[in-house]
Every structure is written in C-alpha cells, then in structure tokens.
Amino acid sequence: MKGTNLGEFEELVLLTIAALVDEAYSVAICDELEKHTGRSAKLGVVHAVLNRLEEKGLAKSKLGDATSARGGKRKRYYEVTHSGKVALTRSKEVRESIWRIIPGFNLEGSI
Amino acid sequence: MKIHDTPPPRPPRWAQRLLSWYCKPSLLEDLQGDLNEYFERNLKNKGARRARLIYVIDVLKFLRPYTIRKPEFLTLLIHFMMIGSYFKTSRRSLVRNKLFSFINVFGLAVSMSVGLLVIAFISDLFSYDDFHEKKNRIYRVITSHQPAGQREMNFASTSVKAGKSIKESVPGVDDLTILRSGFSGDAAVGSKTLPVEGLWTDPSFLRVFSFPLIQGDPASALREPYSLIVTQKTAQKLFGSADPLGEIVRFDTLNYTVTGVMEDIPKLSHLQFEALVSFQTLELQQARDPNFTSWENIWQNYVYIALPEKSTPEMISSSLDKINKHENAALQQKQISISLQPLKQVVTSGGLSNSIGPTVNASLLWILAGLAFVIILSACFNYTNLSIARSLRRTREVGIRKVIGALKGHVLGQFITESVIISMLALAFSFTLFLVLRKQFLSLDPHLARLASFDISPAMIGYFIGLSVITGIVAGFFPALFFSRVNAIQVIRDSSSLKVFRHLSMRKALIVTQYTISLIFITTTLIGYKQYRGMLTFDLGYTTRNIVNMKLHGNKPDLLKKELAEIPEVAGISKSMMVTSLGSAHGAQVKYEDARDSAMVWQNLVDENYLPLHKHRLLAGKNFALRPKKGEDSEVIVNEELLKRFDIAKRDPEKALGKNIIVDGRKLTIVGVLKDFHYGTLENRIEPVMLRYSADEPWGYLNISINSKDPVATMAGIENAWRKIDKVHPLDAKFYDDQIEEAYSQFSVMIKVIGFITFLAICIASMGLFGMVVFTTETRLKEISIRKVLGASETGLVYLLSKGFLLLLTISALIALPVTYLFFDKIVLQNFPYHQPIGVQVLFSGLLVVMLIAFFLIGSQTLKASRRNPAKVLKSE
C-alpha cells in the first residue's frame, strides 16, 4: 500500500476533480488547472497523477458514453472517493491549524 | 470548393499504431481520446504540421512504466504448456513431408556450418592475447611515417627513443617494455646446433605481459647482458631433460647464459618467439651506433605500455603529442608521430606495416561474415517459401487451434517454435559438418593454420546456439505471421477458398534473390579464377621457368656452387640478394644531378650470371664487367622507369649509358638499361628498379637453372649437395614458379573459399527451386490432366509449367550479370594495374551452369507430371 499522503500537485488535481463535479476528465482537468494556477499543466503529468490517485484509492473513474468527438473515443470521468475527501479535508485542516498559530501574519509586512 | 473535398488531417497512422501497441488496454481508449482532442485543438491553433508533430511527441512521451502493457503471464504460461504439443505437431509435419523437411534441414545445416566457421574464426581472432592479466590496459606504441610529398605509412613498430622518452617524461604509465625483433642465429650447446629465433627485450617485458617463468627469477632474468630466456619447447630441444638454468648457449662467437625457462607461448598470442635475449645485450653491441637510438629508426622496435587501472589512453596522448612535436622540430622533410593502439586491436587491425605477429584486416572479417549471412539467408528463404507454399494443410490445423481458443500470439509462437526446432536439428548436423570443415579450412593456407586454432570453447557453443535460434526465427517469421492471420471460420467452412497462391510475388522475389546471389557468386569465382591464372602465367619481363631458388642461410655461395655444378642437370647458377616478384623489396635512396631530388629506388644485388640466367632483356649496354670487392662497386643496371623518374638522357637508353647516379651516397655508373620487368607483385605498378653487383651485403640466394626431365631426382641431388655443406639447416630450395604461386596464395585461398560458398549457394537455391517445382506441379496435377484429356501436348505442358520459373531465372540473370561485371570492372580490378580482361565467355559460362541445373530440375519434374496418366489422376477425386 502506497502512502496516502497528498503531494502538492496531487492535492491540486484532486481538488480540481471535486470542483469539476460531473465534467472531470483529463483534458478538462488540465484546462481548469491552467486557468487557476496560471502554469501550463501538461497532459502527461496530469495523466500520471490521475493514475496514481486512482491507485492510492483517492479517486475512482469510469468510462463515459461514446460521442462523435475525440475520434469516437470515450472519456474517462474521475470522481473523488470517500478516502479522497478525507485526505483533502485533513490536509486543509493541517494547513489551517498551522495558519492559526502564525501571529499577526501580514503579507504587506514581508514585502 | 475543393477544400471541403479533402478529408480533415489525421494524426500519423504509425504513431497511433505505436500507441495501441504499447499501451495497456485499460488506459488505451481514454488516452487515444485525449490525444485526439489535443490534436484537434492544435489543428485549429497551430496548423496540421505542428499538430502531427505534437501528437507524435506526446505518443513517445507517454511511453512510461505505468502505461506499458505488461507481458501477460497467462500467454507465457500457455506457450510453456503447449510446447509439448508444438513438438508433436512439428515432428508430424517433418515426417509427413520428407522431401521438404530434407530440403529445409539440409539447407539450413549446410549454410549454418559456414556460419559456425566464421563465428569460430572471428571468436579466435578476438580472443588473441586474452591470457595477459593486464590485457585491457596494455597499449602498443605505433608510428606514422610521413615523408614530405609522399604517402603516409603506418607502422606497428617504433623507435627505441620513443620508448625511452615515454619512460622518462610521460607520467601515468605503469610499466613500459621495449622489444626488438630479429634475433636469430644458430644456437650451439655442446655438439648440438639448432636455429633459434627470438626477441631482445628488457626485464619489464615479464611484468607487462603474462608469460610465466617455470624456472628463473622474472625480476632479474633479463637484467644482465647476454642473458637468455628460452621457452620450454626450445629448452627441451637444446638440452633434452637436463636442467637448462645457468647453461651456456653459443650463438656464432658469443656466449649467452640461460637465466630462465618460460612456459610455452599460447597459440593465440600475437607475440611468438623461441627465446628472449636481454635488451642490455643489444645496447652493448650497438653502443657505438648513433642510429640505434635515433628517432627515425622506427623499423624493428616495438614498445608496449601498461596503464594504471581506470586510466584511459587519452590521458597520456597529449604527452605523446608533446614528444612528437619536440622530435619532429629537428626533422627535415618528414614527420614521424607516435600514438597508442590497444592490445586487443593488434590482431584485427591490418594495414600496419612491420607488424609483429599475425594480422587480419577488419574488412576481411566483414566480408566473411557477409558471405555467411547471405548463404544462411538463402537457406532461410527456402524455409519461408516452402512453408508458405505448403500452407494449405497446416491452415486447417491452425483453424482448429483458433476455434479452440488460440490467440494470434499463440499461433505465432507455435510456428516460430517449430522453425527454431528445425534449425536446432540443423545445428546438430552443421556442427558435425563444422568439425570436418574446420580442418579443411585451416589447411587451405599455412598462414591460416598459424592464425587460428578453432578450438571449441563454451562461449563458442553459446554463439552457435544463438546463431541457430536467430536463424530459426528469421526463417520462421514470415510463415508464422502468415499462419497467425489465418481466418479460422473461413478455413474450416471451406478450405478451398483459401488461396494457395497467395503471397506469390513475395515467393517469386525470394527465388529471384536466391538465384541472383548464386549467379553473382559463380561469376565472381570464375572471374577471380581467371585473374588468378592470369597472374601466375603473366609475362614478368624475364623467365622463371625451371629455376630453383635456394636460400643460402649464410653459407658460402662458392662452395655450394662447386658442389651443385657437379650435378649434370644444373645448367647455370647465379647469385642474388633476394628473389623478385614475390612481394619483398629492398630500397635505397637515389639521386641524379639535382641534389635535392632523391627517391627510394628498389634494388637487387646480383652477379654476372643473373641477367642471362633469367633472360632479362637489355635495351642498351651490357652485363656487369667488374667484380668489385666490398664497398667498391661502381656499376649499376637500371630499368626504363628509373630513366623516366629522373629524366636521365631524355629517357633514351643508349644515351643514358655512362651517366652517373648517386646511390646511398655512392656514385655509380649506368652500364646497362633493362626493359621494364616486375620487381614487385602484379598488384603494384612497375617502379624504378636497379640491379647492382655488390659485395656489400651477403648473398641471400642461389638461382639454379635446371635442365632436367626428372625434377624430383634433380632436387634430391641438390639436397645431397646441400647436406655436404650445411648440416644444421634443412634445405630451403623451391621452384621459382611455385614461389610465385605462393606469393599469390591469398588469392587462391580467397577463390577456394568463395568457390566453396558458391557451391553451397547453388545447391541451396537449386533445392529450393526443386521444392517449389515439385509443389507447383503437384497442386496443378488435376489441371494438367484435364488439359491433357482435352488434347494438350507434352511439350506444351512442360512449357506451361516451366515458363514462370524460367522468367524468374532470366530476371535474376539480368540483375546478377551486369552487377558483377560492373563491380569487377569498375571497382575491384581497378586495384590491379596488370589484370586480364573479364571476357564475355566467363560471364556466361557461370550463367550456363546454373541454368542447366535449373532446367534439369524444372524439366524432370514437369515432364514427370505431364506424363502421368490423366485417367488415374482424375479417377481419384
């Protein structure tokens, strides 16, 4: 069993899956990530991460219906599993608990 | 609106195929879709070209561990379990078609035996010097010699000075040894005398190389002057069973002490010697000769260095360049540079002059490997052809297998296994053949027998099996592919719908290739043979008939001459330093009036009887008149080329008489001009040559002209005369014509080898053709019978059946003959200035032989088919 710890990029991808709800398939995830992060998300990287998330049991997938787009090939839609949701929540909690102990964090002050 | 008519651009097909080949089925569809989506996007934004490129790059980028299809364990397991069944069906099909099986197994066996020979030969060459512990870090210092305005020559030898300079000034060298070739003399122990040849070398020789001593101390054995290490074999010959250590061996007038006995040298060592003499001896003897340690004296010395482990030759090459630069600054009109050569390349890098030990050109190895490859391929073609042709019967079996559940991969595996089984069977035969052939091969040429041993090692067996497996796969690949694509339902429902004559064009192409190869081989052999005969009978410009050349081995020529003169059959005797036209050469620097213009001119030292005995043709002047003492010769006879080279007397032989040329600093008068003759072999153009009557160097040979009806008896007489004078050396006397044949023995070996391969190629191609003819006539038997019933004549039927094959043969002749002709005319024979014309009849006689065999094979089978009683054939429906 691989570790269930979320890497930074893994977390982003998993969040995007959750955000896209019913439209979460590889190309859409790439586009969404690009939109939010401003970095280009390469399909190769995203595909590998999706594959890893599924292996870890944080996401699950199923093939959609065939359409005439994409050369007649079906899309694989992703969905966050229960343990995926737990992992996301936990990681958010960890961050927030650390945020809370930073005294008087001020973005302007550090600049 | 034409634009709408063209289909939209698609991703490259091969990339799509690649993706679906390597990708896991579970990931494939989605991935294909993703890439398609991106492709369509890129098509809009970046154009078709970029989109295709990106698609290809993406396909390659997705080749990652998690996407790659794993070999399915189940498939492998099934293959493993089915091997028994594969064996059974293979055996059945082998037994069922005895003729075809014979053709396959025999062809593969014969052709693979050639492959085995080549593998054994190459593996022998690459295992040369393997017994040295430091084999991978020993390097030889080699020398390039570049006189201004002349061709650069590379030597395996180098100067003593190069060795000393490296020893003194180059850091990062573990050990260095200098050796010098050419120690030879008659070793006398007590009353026993025996010729011994060896090397001079220093104590580090035994550290660089792994030649273990049985007796003696390796550290000190070669330290003192006049110390001698002998090999076990030589010690046995000299001392018998007595202890050789500390014994005295006498060479001429000098005493040497035996300080060590060495294990016999392995056969696969490029250094071969009977004795080692300490380098100190040589330095003592040559102390007063400044030339000995000169940078330019690069002819006889060899330097080997051992580098420390994990160090590369590049590390010290800059130091070598520094030495080169320093030394060449003092040279005029030439450059001499040293560099390194790994020990393991010493044998396989021909092309170096003054090589010590055997060398083989790498190109020769490629040619041999190429010949073996072609011949094995030809046998593979037979297998491919016959298997596909006979596919009708096997397709039903494949159909059943597929219905039961065999996948494409299983069928592919089955037929590849079958062909590997057959080629393993063939390997067993070809190994036996190899054992017979290797002796024949080694006895082709004494040079070969010295070069290779062909001893079988476990690694070699591994290579053999590897060759056989690869051969099996190559031979069986196309039939296997064919069978794996068989449509099970179609085959089982109606086998007649399967087209027996499918893949006909491929089969035809294979036959044409086989015959083209055979024809190229046979014409090559015939052309080569004609050229070789032409070389032996070439008019060299003088006669070589009935002349025996006897090597003097340092004996007094006049004593021998007196003995020989008493034999009645001896018609004349002359003396010479060397024998011309055999490939060896002696040169001297010659100048004419212009002191700056000097050239190397080949020479021979001869006596007054030499010219008449060899019937040399004098264009002007006369034979030598003076009989000079040592260092006093003043006459020279030159050839036309020499007049041309120095433009003496405007090349007029008569006027050239009396002119002086300067040879090695001595003034000589031209007393005669010879018509050009061949001093070198026929591979070289005639160059400037001079003959001198000189006592400066000892005579090397007696040339004995014989007028005898019984050469054997005369040779026995000569042997008797020799025995009276020299009791140590065996007689070394040969007929001049035989010597010339030996000088060209490399060609004779080549022709024999190619001739043998030709024979095999024709056999294999003929068997293949025979198989195809038998098959075709059998399948068309009913058609023939019906034609016959309807009134066709026998000749008509024979013509009908054979015209297809004849067309194929004609095509291969049309390819093979021009190719061979052009290859020889434009490439090979350009290297031989004195070659014979190729001749039409040589070209066509080869064709005729091959065609006659083919006609016979085709004719006999078709005639047999057309004479069958149609009633019997048609009755058994």
Side-chain angles (χ1 to χ4, degrees):
Chain A
M1 180 73 194
K2 286 186 179 174
T4 43
N5 283 335
L6 274 179
E8 190 239 8
F9 195 64
E10 284 175 345
E11 189 181 346
L12 282 177
V13 172
L14 203 55
L15 278 171
T16 319
I17 295 175
L20 285 172
V21 196
D22 284 341
E23 275 306 308
Y25 78 100
S26 46
V27 178
I29 295 171
C30 284
D31 294 344
E32 195 69 15
L33 275 171
E34 255 172 57
K35 204 166 82 191
H36 285 283
T37 61
R39 303 186 299 207
S40 78
K42 287 271 183 288
L43 177 67
V45 183
V46 173
H47 197 271
V49 168
L50 286 171
N51 195 63
R52 201 155 55 231
L53 288 173
E54 200 170 358
E55 246 176 54
K56 285 181 180 178
L58 302 175
K60 61 182 180 187
S61 69
K62 59 173 195 294
L63 284 173
D65 296 328
T67 56
S68 62
R70 288 165 58 93
K73 305 291 178 195
R74 290 175 291 176
K75 294 172 183 170
R76 182 176 290 279
Y77 289 104
Y78 289 87
E79 194 181 321
V80 184
T81 59
H82 177 69
S83 51
K85 283 175 191 159
V86 172
L88 277 177
T89 330
R90 187 182 298 149
S91 110
K92 192 178 170 225
E93 277 165 7
V94 169
R95 277 155 209 259
E96 277 173 354
S97 70
I98 298 176
W99 274 109
R100 271 197 295 274
I101 55 172
I102 302 175
F105 187 85
N106 191 341
L107 205 58
E108 276 93 87
S110 65
I111 297 172
Chain B
M1 294 296 274
K2 260 196 167 162
I3 298 164
H4 289 292
D5 293 339
T6 54
R10 285 161 177 269
R13 261 177 74 91
W14 66 268
Q16 288 180 331
R17 281 210 184 153
L18 179 68
L19 182 69
S20 51
W21 176 71
Y22 76 70
C23 191
K24 265 187 208 163
S26 59
L27 296 177
L28 179 62
E29 185 170 355
D30 173 51
L31 197 52
Q32 280 173 330
D34 289 350
L35 291 180
N36 285 344
E37 198 168 336
Y38 271 105
F39 179 77
E40 274 158 30
R41 255 190 226 181
N42 290 331
L43 207 57
K44 264 185 224 146
N45 304 335
K46 297 176 177 164
R49 202 171 236 250
R50 286 288 301 276
R52 279 162 174 275
L53 184 70
I54 291 171
Y55 188 92
V56 171
I57 292 173
D58 277 342
V59 165
L60 295 178
K61 264 163 73 179
F62 268 105
L63 197 73
R64 294 176 191 199
Y66 80 90
T67 55
I68 290 178
R69 186 200 290 263
K70 306 281 179 298
E72 280 158 49
F73 176 70
L74 197 64
T75 320
L76 290 179
L77 190 71
I78 289 175
H79 272 305
F80 184 72
M81 291 191 306
M82 293 297 284
I83 277 184
S85 152
Y86 297 166
F87 262 104
K88 205 180 277 174
T89 42
S90 303
R91 191 180 56 82
R92 282 180 189 155
S93 115
L94 266 174
V95 175
R96 192 162 48 213
N97 292 295
K98 291 199 183 62
L99 174 70
F100 295 124
S101 308
F102 172 76
I103 291 175
N104 282 336
V105 173
F106 183 77
L108 284 174
V110 162
S111 65
M112 274 203 298
S113 66
V114 176
L116 299 191
L117 272 182
V118 172
I119 288 178
F121 187 54
I122 291 178
S123 103
D124 259 8
L125 290 182
F126 280 99
S127 45
Y128 255 83
D129 297 314
D130 257 352
F131 59 93
H132 296 300
E133 275 165 32
K134 303 177 181 171
K135 60 184 177 188
N136 292 322
R137 39 195 186 107
I138 300 177
Y139 291 83
R140 177 162 79 176
V141 177
I142 56 173
T143 312
S144 117
H145 181 249
Q146 167 94 64
Q150 281 185 49
R151 213 156 45 92
E152 178 189 16
M153 275 184 85
N154 291 305
F155 292 90
S157 51
T158 189
S159 56
V160 174
K161 185 162 193 185
K164 303 232 161 184
S165 307
I166 296 175
K167 208 178 207 167
E168 281 156 20
S169 65
V170 178
V173 174
D174 246 11
D175 238 323
L176 177 145
T177 179
I178 305 177
L179 46 124
R180 188 178 171 91
S181 64
F183 176 86
S184 103
D186 298 330
V189 177
S191 59
K192 219 188 275 175
T193 313
L194 196 74
V196 168
E197 297 196 349
L199 307 167
W200 286 280
T201 189
D202 50 20
S204 43
F205 181 82
L206 297 173
R207 287 200 299 274
V208 173
F209 297 112
S210 311
F211 289 116
L213 293 190
I214 301 172
Q215 279 180 289
D217 173 25
S220 64
L222 287 169
R223 197 176 289 153
E224 300 299 321
Y226 298 103
S227 341
L228 182 75
I229 294 181
V230 287
T231 60
Q232 211 175 357
K233 210 188 278 165
T234 315
Q236 180 71 27
K237 275 195 226 157
L238 283 174
F239 303 102
S241 53
D243 181 12
L245 213 59
E247 290 292 322
I248 302 291
V249 180
R250 195 176 176 80
F251 283 92
D252 212 8
T253 56
L254 298 167
N255 284 333
Y256 291 76
T257 315
V258 177
T259 52
V261 180
M262 182 181 278
E263 265 181 30
D264 281 328
I265 302 162
K267 177 157 188 162
L268 298 183
S269 161
H270 84 280
L271 292 170
Q272 294 288 347
F273 48 86
E274 291 169 318
L276 292 174
V277 181
S278 61
F279 207 71
Q280 283 288 322
T281 321
L282 193 66
E283 287 184 321
L284 215 64
Q285 289 167 349
Q286 307 269 351
R288 269 176 294 158
D289 185 0
N291 189 37
F292 177 64
T293 50
S294 151
W295 178 252
E296 294 176 62
N297 188 359
I298 58 168
W299 318 110
Q300 247 183 307
N301 317 294
Y302 302 86
V303 173
Y304 293 82
I305 63 174
L307 296 183
E309 275 173 64
K310 287 179 194 153
S311 128
T312 60
E314 288 78 37
M315 288 175 181
I316 69 163
S317 67
S318 63
S319 311
L320 295 187
D321 287 342
K322 225 175 277 166
I323 296 176
N324 289 336
K325 213 170 180 183
H326 174 75
E327 296 291 346
N328 282 331
L331 292 183
Q332 281 170 344
Q333 297 208 334
K334 63 166 128 179
Q335 298 273 305
I336 294 175
S337 323
I338 53 174
S339 53
L340 294 183
Q341 177 191 41
L343 179 71
K344 291 295 286 175
Q345 288 175 16
V346 163
V347 176
T348 45
S349 64
L352 292 180
S353 304
N354 285 4
S355 69
I356 186 167
T359 56
V360 171
N361 248 322
S363 59
L364 177 74
L365 297 186
W366 282 112
I367 291 174
L368 281 180
L371 289 180
F373 175 75
V374 166
I375 203 89
I376 293 177
L377 204 63
S378 184
C380 288
F381 285 177
N382 275 355
Y383 185 91
T384 306
N385 255 351
L386 294 178
S387 305
I388 296 183
R390 293 181 299 126
S391 59
L392 186 63
R393 205 159 183 159
R394 296 303 291 277
T395 44
R396 277 198 209 124
E397 173 197 330
V398 172
I400 302 282
R401 276 181 194 276
K402 283 199 162 178
V403 165
I404 292 173
L407 297 176
K408 240 183 180 185
H410 295 144
V411 177
L412 201 74
Q414 182 202 344
F415 282 90
I416 300 253
T417 316
E418 182 170 325
S419 68
V420 171
I421 290 171
I422 288 175
S423 86
M424 287 305 232
L425 194 67
L427 179 68
F429 288 113
S430 73
F431 189 71
T432 327
L433 255 176
F434 163 75
L435 294 180
V436 179
L437 279 177
R438 66 173 175 175
K439 288 206 192 78
Q440 306 291 322
F441 187 67
L442 288 181
S443 65
L444 274 181
D445 188 65
H447 182 68
L448 274 178
R450 272 199 301 277
L451 191 64
S453 61
F454 283 176
D455 287 333
I456 292 153
S457 64
M460 225 185 249
I461 300 282
Y463 296 143
F464 289 175
I465 292 175
L467 174 77
S468 151
V469 169
I470 292 173
T471 308
I473 292 175
V474 170
F477 184 72
F478 274 112
L481 207 64
F482 169 78
F483 282 117
S484 72
R485 287 186 177 163
V486 160
N487 183 336
I489 299 167
Q490 197 187 2
V491 172
I492 291 173
R493 194 177 51 200
D494 181 13
S495 68
S496 66
S497 71
L498 196 86
K499 293 178 209 120
V500 182
F501 293 100
R502 263 173 70 187
H503 295 277
L504 207 53
S505 54
M506 184 184 93
R507 274 147 58 187
K508 279 179 182 166
L510 293 186
I511 290 182
V512 169
T513 319
Q514 276 183 326
Y515 266 87
T516 309
I517 291 169
S518 306
L519 284 171
I520 288 178
F521 274 148
I522 194 170
T523 19
T524 303
T525 314
L526 292 173
I527 293 175
Y529 186 71
K530 190 179 173 197
Q531 297 297 329
Y532 172 69
R533 289 310 308 175
M535 279 179 177
L536 295 189
T537 54
F538 197 83
D539 178 13
L540 298 168
Y542 60 95
T543 184
T544 57
R545 279 198 58 183
N546 295 328
I547 292 175
V548 172
N549 289 312
M550 175 198 277
K551 198 167 184 186
L552 280 169
H553 283 293
N555 288 298
K556 295 224 164 53
D558 295 328
L559 284 180
L560 263 169
K561 226 174 131 175
K562 227 171 92 189
E563 288 291 336
L564 291 168
E566 285 172 13
I567 302 171
E569 288 89 357
V570 170
I573 301 172
S574 71
K575 293 177 279 189
S576 65
M577 178 188 66
M578 56 165 293
V579 180
T580 52
S581 277
L582 300 182
S584 56
H586 288 255
Q589 286 296 329
V590 171
K591 289 178 187 168
Y592 184 50
E593 285 161 349
D594 184 352
R596 281 165 308 170
D597 180 26
S598 80
M600 181 75 95
V601 170
W602 306 121
Q603 62 169 352
N604 192 7
L605 310 184
V606 301
D607 74 349
E608 74 278 9
N609 298 322
Y610 185 86
L611 294 183
L613 188 113
H614 290 90
K615 300 199 176 82
H616 272 289
R617 294 190 275 274
L618 275 167
L619 293 175
K622 53 188 179 4
N623 204 343
F624 297 105
L626 304 175
R627 309 282 175 264
K629 289 209 182 71
K630 188 168 182 171
E632 289 176 2
D633 68 319
S634 58
E635 292 179 328
V636 64
I637 295 177
V638 302
N639 71 348
E640 295 168 273
E641 279 295 318
L642 189 124
L643 298 188
K644 229 188 261 176
R645 168 66 183 77
F646 291 101
D647 200 22
I648 298 172
K650 304 219 159 30
R651 306 177 186 189
D652 181 343
E654 289 292 345
K655 288 186 185 140
L657 298 178
K659 300 271 189 231
N660 293 325
I661 56 173
I662 296 160
V663 180
D664 282 343
R666 185 179 299 160
K667 191 188 269 183
L668 300 180
T669 312
I670 298 174
V671 297
V673 177
L674 282 179
K675 194 167 172 19
D676 278 339
F677 67 99
H678 287 270
Y679 178 93
T681 56
L682 294 173
E683 292 154 76
N684 307 309
R685 296 206 159 273
I686 294 180
E687 288 175 336
V689 170
M690 60 188 173
L691 301 180
R692 292 161 66 189
Y693 192 120
S694 162
D696 287 3
E697 297 218 21
W699 299 109
Y701 292 87
L702 281 188
N703 324 107
I704 309 161
S705 163
I706 287 175
N707 189 2
S708 158
K709 288 201 178 72
D710 184 4
V712 180
T714 313
M715 283 306 274
I718 292 176
E719 171 104 41
N720 273 336
W722 174 263
R723 277 272 148 259
K724 281 183 200 161
I725 305 292
D726 189 329
K727 294 186 172 58
V728 179
H729 303 98
L731 171 70
D732 183 1
K734 281 173 190 150
F735 276 96
Y736 207 151
D737 287 337
D738 294 344
Q739 285 180 307
I740 288 179
E741 208 169 310
E742 276 172 34
Y744 295 108
S745 67
Q746 45 165 334
F747 296 109
S748 116
V749 170
M750 236 187 278
I751 289 166
K752 279 181 198 159
V753 168
I754 297 181
F756 177 65
I757 294 202
T758 306
F759 172 71
L760 295 186
I762 294 175
C763 279
I764 291 169
S766 306
M767 285 193 309
L769 183 72
F770 182 68
M772 288 306 284
V773 174
V774 168
F775 170 77
T776 323
T777 43
E778 268 175 13
T779 22
R780 294 175 73 178
L781 208 53
K782 251 172 222 156
E783 173 198 337
I784 293 165
S785 304
I786 293 171
R787 280 179 191 274
K788 216 173 168 187
V789 170
L790 295 178
S793 68
E794 266 178 27
T795 32
L797 286 174
V798 169
Y799 172 72
L800 177 83
L801 285 169
S802 42
K803 71 174 175 193
F805 292 111
L806 296 184
L807 184 71
L808 297 184
L809 295 191
T810 316
I811 294 173
S812 35
L814 286 179
I815 300 170
L817 294 189
V819 165
T820 325
Y821 180 81
L822 289 176
F823 177 68
F824 272 90
D825 195 48
K826 297 279 180 264
I827 299 170
V828 178
L829 292 180
Q830 293 298 318
N831 300 323
F832 296 89
Y834 303 100
H835 66 81
Q836 314 278 319
I838 290 176
V840 178
Q841 92 235 41
V842 171
L843 279 180
F844 283 95
S845 51
L847 179 67
L848 194 71
V849 171
V850 174
M851 288 296 185
L852 276 182
I853 297 173
F855 281 155
F856 174 73
L857 293 178
I858 299 171
S860 64
Q861 283 309 303
T862 47
L863 201 63
K864 199 171 114 192
S866 62
R867 282 194 178 155
R868 290 279 286 269
N869 184 352
K872 275 187 185 158
V873 176
L874 294 175
K875 192 171 67 183
S876 67
E877 171 70 335

